[in-house]
């Protein structure tokens, strides 16, 4: 018995040492995958809107107040979820935005995300010149052409190279808060029921994902929507009392229909597309559990304009790690960290389906 316990002890010790060694290797810039390509909206944007004619930009203080480089275009006081995910995967530097990515750095990934962008082309256009998901796909084709030239006559084709990369897709928020639930400017809520709209969005997204697949992508992390009725922007719009609560619940129910469809889409694509692996990150589930659920959620950390974006050089809260929302829509660095870490390594079986990003990297 004593010898068995001793053997078990040494096996456990070796396992812990190897796990620690892997984390150290990742931390010093030996990523688990060669590249990370990012598609989405302001929850992932790291500067693509900075020089565009749009109100959807965050390259000014107090945005970035806790980020080493200051304001970069991230809608956060610090990092966003993709930054945290990249760090956990072992990337030494953040993934560059398409707007500034040049030369060989595109081989480690490109971030195409654009604030206010949506799955639908019309989404976000009322805020100016943003980059829709379809346009992001066109930008990726430019990158693919550049990778072709960079790889040249090497033994690995562009398709082979891209098949080893992770493709993160986090989009759909603006198709709801900026489109379906914005009837003053858009008619989608009068055309579609909530169930129909979720189906339409997931079908269009499936076609966009197929475009990526045809260009060589094989590892996909699809990030679901959070409970959008809870964000300060929508709470302010819904008002207080029983009517306000019903309004919040209505928005949350609508976005949950999209999430159910997205998870189902993951299962379908895993079955139908050869050598492709799709995973679903349950952002709303992660959001509803500690530590996020225990943070201040009824107000934004920064002083906001129209309950939406931070007032330039406006006031901010001092205890930012205690707040859920940075502005009227976006999480704080502390909350993004939880999303990114649990997307990378699930802490609950419901965090990811069929498994997390760490396992996706090893496929």
């Amino acid at each position: 018995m004593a010898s068995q316990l001793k053997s078990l002890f040494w096996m456990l010790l070796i396992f812990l040492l190897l796990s620690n060694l892997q984390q150290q290797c990742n931390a010093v810039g030996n990523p688990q995958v060669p590249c990370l390509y990012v598609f989405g909206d302001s929850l992932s944007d790291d500067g693509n809107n900075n020089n565009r004619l749009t109100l959807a930009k965050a390259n000014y203080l107090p945005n970035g107040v806790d980020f080493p480089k200051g304001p970069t275009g991230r809608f956060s006081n610090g990092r966003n979820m993709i930054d945290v995910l990249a760090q956990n995967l072992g990337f030494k530097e953040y993934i560059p935005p398409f707007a500034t990515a040049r030369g060989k750095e595109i081989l480690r990934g490109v971030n195409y995300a654009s604030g206010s962008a949506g799955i639908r082309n019309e989404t976000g256009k009322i805020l100016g010149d943003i980059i829709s998901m379809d346009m992001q796909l066109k930008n990726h084709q430019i990158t693919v052409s550049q990778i072709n030239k960079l790889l040249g006559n090497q033994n690995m084709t562009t398709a082979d190279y891209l098949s080893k990369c992770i493709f993160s897709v986090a989009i759909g928020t603006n198709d709801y808060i900026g489109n379906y639930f914005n009837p003053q400017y858009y008619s989608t809520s009068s055309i579609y029921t909530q169930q129909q709209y979720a189906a339409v969005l997931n079908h269009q997204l499936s076609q966009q994902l197929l475009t990526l697949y045809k260009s060589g992508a094989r590892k996909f992390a699809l990030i679901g929507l959070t409970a959008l009725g809870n964000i300060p922007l929508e709470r302010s719009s819904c008002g207080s009392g029983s009517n306000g609560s019903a309004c919040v619940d209505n928005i949350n129910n609508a976005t949950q229909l999209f999430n159910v469809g997205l998870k189902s889409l993951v299962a379908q694509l895993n079955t139908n597309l050869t050598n492709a692996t799709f995973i679903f990150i349950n952002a709303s589930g992660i959001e509803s559990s500690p530590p996020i659920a225990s943070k201040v959620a009824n107000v934004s950390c920064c002083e906001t304009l129209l309950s939406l974006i931070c007032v330039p050089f406006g006031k901010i809260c001092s205890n930012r790690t205690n707040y859920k929302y940075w502005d009227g829509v976006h999480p704080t660095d502390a909350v993004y960290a939880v999303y990114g870490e649990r997307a990378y390594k699930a802490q609950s079986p419901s965090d990811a389906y069929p498994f997390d990003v760490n396992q996706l990297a090893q496929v």
Side-chain angles (χ1 to χ4, degrees):
M1 182 67 177
S3 61
Q4 289 178 326
L5 287 173
K6 187 175 181 180
S7 298
L8 185 61
F9 169 79
W10 282 110
M11 288 173 64
L12 180 61
L13 181 61
I14 291 170
F15 173 77
L16 291 173
L17 287 171
L18 289 172
S19 297
N20 186 56
L21 180 62
Q22 181 187 21
Q23 290 178 354
Q24 287 181 338
C25 287
N26 289 347
V28 296
N30 297 306
Q32 291 176 265
V33 291
C35 35
L36 174 62
Y37 293 95
V38 181
F39 300 81
D41 49 35
S42 55
L43 295 169
S44 304
D45 190 353
D46 61 354
N48 283 309
N49 281 10
N50 289 356
N51 296 318
R52 304 181 77 87
L53 293 174
T54 176
L55 297 174
K57 57 178 62 182
N59 56 335
Y60 60 86
L61 286 169
N63 296 299
V65 66
D66 298 314
F67 195 71
K69 297 181 180 180
T72 56
R74 289 167 169 82
F75 292 77
S76 169
N77 59 302
R79 300 163 298 172
N80 61 31
M81 178 178 170
I82 294 301
D83 296 327
V84 178
L85 197 56
Q87 287 175 323
N88 276 275
L89 282 166
F91 287 92
K92 186 169 60 175
E93 298 177 8
Y94 297 120
I95 305 303
F98 176 78
T100 60
R102 297 291 182 272
K104 290 186 177 181
E105 70 176 346
I106 68 172
L107 291 175
R108 64 181 173 86
V110 176
N111 187 329
Y112 304 96
S114 172
S116 286
I119 296 168
R120 294 174 67 88
N121 287 324
E122 79 271 14
T123 294
K125 294 297 185 182
I126 59 171
L127 292 179
D129 184 25
I130 54 90
I131 312 167
S132 68
M133 183 62 179
D134 280 345
M135 282 302 300
Q136 291 177 38
L137 293 174
K138 290 180 180 179
N139 288 340
H140 181 60
Q141 284 306 122
I142 295 173
T143 299
V144 171
S145 297
Q146 293 172 336
I147 292 174
N148 270 327
K149 295 177 182 178
L150 288 171
L151 292 180
N153 296 322
Q154 295 182 30
N155 293 330
M156 183 180 292
T157 66
T158 298
D160 288 337
Y161 185 78
L162 293 175
S163 70
K164 304 179 190 311
C165 309
I166 288 178
F167 288 74
S168 169
V169 180
I171 199 161
T173 291
N174 297 302
D175 293 295
Y176 280 97
I177 66 173
N179 189 325
Y180 194 79
F181 290 108
N182 193 6
Q184 183 178 355
Y185 295 99
Y186 294 99
S187 60
T188 45
S189 60
S190 63
I191 299 173
Y192 304 108
T193 65
Q194 291 182 3
Q195 186 77 54
Q196 289 171 336
Y197 191 60
V200 165
L201 288 180
N202 274 300
H203 175 72
Q204 186 168 350
L205 180 58
S206 72
Q207 298 306 300
Q208 293 163 338
L209 295 171
L210 186 58
T211 298
L212 280 176
Y213 175 80
K214 289 178 178 178
S215 71
R218 291 296 181 270
K219 299 182 181 186
F220 298 83
L222 309 187
I223 301 166
L225 304 182
T226 58
L228 297 177
N230 296 342
I231 63 176
L233 171 67
E234 294 302 333
R235 284 195 176 276
S236 174
S237 175
C238 285
S240 57
S242 58
N243 288 339
S245 296
C247 172
V248 167
D249 290 343
N250 183 48
I251 296 170
N252 287 340
N253 290 337
T255 54
Q256 190 58 25
L257 289 172
F258 174 83
N259 286 336
V260 170
L262 187 60
K263 185 177 179 180
S264 177
L265 178 62
V266 163
Q268 176 186 330
L269 293 173
N270 279 332
T271 300
N272 296 339
L273 296 183
T274 305
N275 296 326
T277 305
F278 290 78
I279 65 170
F280 167 74
I281 302 301
N282 183 15
S284 64
I286 295 171
E287 173 189 29
S288 63
S289 60
I292 297 177
S294 61
K295 294 186 182 295
V296 176
N298 60 330
V299 291
S300 306
C301 176
C302 77
E303 180 184 4
T304 59
L305 181 65
L306 301 176
S307 298
L308 183 59
I309 58 175
C310 294
V311 172
F313 303 98
K315 298 176 182 179
I316 57 174
C317 64
S318 58
N319 51 341
R320 293 181 282 282
T321 57
N322 293 337
Y323 277 70
K324 181 177 180 180
Y325 297 106
W326 167 239
D327 56 20
V329 177
H330 309 94
T332 56
D333 174 282
V335 172
Y336 274 129
V338 177
Y339 285 129
E341 287 163 6
R342 288 177 65 168
Y344 174 74
K345 194 167 185 60
Q347 294 180 15
S348 164
S350 64
D351 284 355
Y353 168 82
F355 43 73
D356 55 33
V357 172
N358 178 38
Q359 291 176 274
L360 177 65
Q362 298 173 46
V363 171

